[in-house]
Amino acid sequence: MKVLFVSSEVFPLIKTGGLADVSGSLPNALQGLGVDIRILVPGYPAVLENIGALKTVAELDHLPHIGDATLLEGVIQDTQVKVWVIKAPSLYERDGGPYADKTGLEWGDNPIRFGVLSKVAAILASEKTPIKSWLPDIVHCNDWQTGLAPAYMSLTEHSNAKSIISLHNMAFQGCYPPNWVESLGLPSSGFSIEGFEYHGQLSFLKAAIFYADAISTVSPRYAKEIQTAAFGFGLEGLLSKRGDEIKGILNGIETEEWNPATDKYLSHTYNSENLQGKLQVKLALQRDSGLDIDANAPLLGVVSRLTHQKGLDMLVPHLQFLINQGCQFVLLGGGELAMEKAFEEIASRNPGRASVTIGYNEPLSHQIMAGSDIFVMPSRFEPCGLNQLYGLAYGTPPVVNATGGLADSVIDSNPAHLKDKTANGFVMVEASAEGLVACILRAVNMFNHDKKTWLQIQMSGMQQNLSWDKSAQEYLALYKTLL
Ligand code: ADP
Ligand code: GLC
């Protein structure tokens, strides 16, 4: 089976969030199951730098706005997964991030940048492909940036391949003024409710949901949630029409990259049989973050985008209280200015007790995951979430809100779950600042006063199989239903 896996970010080439983690690890797992897979990604500077040797495999033409581009092939380091990189300097080679410039302003030509990504995917899946020896059976799209691919496949390229859209986050849809329809080479007939039109705009994500042969979400709970107004971001009606078809598959983690026994970013490694190294990592984290060196202080950790989705504003009102109760706090993240400021202000008021790092830092994210005692993730919605899974793997029980993939992966430490030994974290009863602080206090109490039960909770997470084994099988089964 041949699968073209299309994504706007792929770890370790380019990453802004969990989509990159999934796009870097799921294809590898699928390849392990015998799938012949190629990843398609835009040629951002980071991709061209990080991939190493590249060879030209084809020239592409008839692309909207830019005409021509070159397709290069490389391999993701430490794997045998082939990546096809679209070399189009005028679109992708510039300073800044994949979606926005350095000041956070969205690139004005994003419809072209991701329209071209989608168009190239569709061409490669049609008879027009310049690579006749490799025609995919399945085009696996991810999020809005790839959303036009299923539309091009059915309306302009007449592809025989089947398309899947995996929904990683309904909050981002790629909606643009209607003039883009013609300029991206889409037929005006598609600009209707039965097509890619959404409230008078061209919607990349709606195009995918409407035209794709299959829809998946990154957790079973999220598959249900997005069919309701609270989580569907306006597309709940269309989604519920295809409700029965939407397949929720929980993300796995890359166990080569996220494994406390082998993690290259940790001063000491550890595993479920010996947690000594975890304590050493905590002490090193305290030292390096300017926190008081104190093995007993419950250390609350956060690694996150600081946006409304992640719910960390709910932590702000009671964080001082938690610190007064003896907790330490370490945060790595960035996003909304007001939230960054609020956390920085708390850190400056609490030297030795709270440390806040604004920015993106891969090594520190691993050190916080391993060195903290409790991982805090109170998201208002969370399609899957990878950080709570990393927390489970690293013996850092997560405190989470009961939504999406958090609800599907974290089992609350209530008496029943402690008794049957399934408890692996703490689930908020209510999505509010009060609900969050109550849940954190429950965890802190257990950490302080019942080490035996704490260890049991840590073990439940650390001994779980969180790898892609099972979920990659589910994707494979989904592909098979389409062929
Ligand atoms: P989302 O993709 O919605 O941000 P996920 O939990 O799925 O949430 O994935 C987030 C990924 O991004 C994780 O790999 C996490 O470690 C990483 N991450 C988030 N913020 C930072 C940061 N400031 N520095 C380094 N890694 C980060
Ligand atoms: C999105 C979601 C996150 C999910 C990730 C990977 O970024 O916000 O919940 O884990 O995609 O699927």
Side-chain angles (χ1 to χ4, degrees), residues 192-193 195-198 203-210 235 238:
S192 77
I193 292 192
F196 38 70
E197 185 255 353
Y198 179 68
S203 165
F204 276 49
L205 193 63
K206 189 188 168 202
I209 294 170
F210 189 83
L235 290 174
L238 177 61

Side-chain angles (χ1 to χ4, degrees), residues 15-19 21 169 258 303-305 309-310 332-334 359-362 365 369 377 382 384-388 390:
K15 167 168 167 177
T16 72
L19 172 63
D21 289 5
N169 200 331
W258 289 95
V303 178
S304 186
R305 293 187 287 117
Q309 172 187 349
K310 300 295 175 178
L332 167 67
Y360 187 88
N361 185 328
E362 194 72 26
S365 72
M369 207 48 86
M377 194 164 174
E382 196 61 78
C384 178
L386 292 167
N387 276 323
Q388 85 282 8
Y390 301 149

Side-chain angles (χ1 to χ4, degrees), residues 1 29 128 164 249 256 303 306 315 330 384 410 447 471 476:
M1 187 189 299
K128 289 185 209 153
I164 296 184
I249 303 176
E256 297 280 312
V303 178
L306 297 177
L315 183 58
V330 58
C384 178
V410 180
F447 174 84
S471 298
L476 185 58

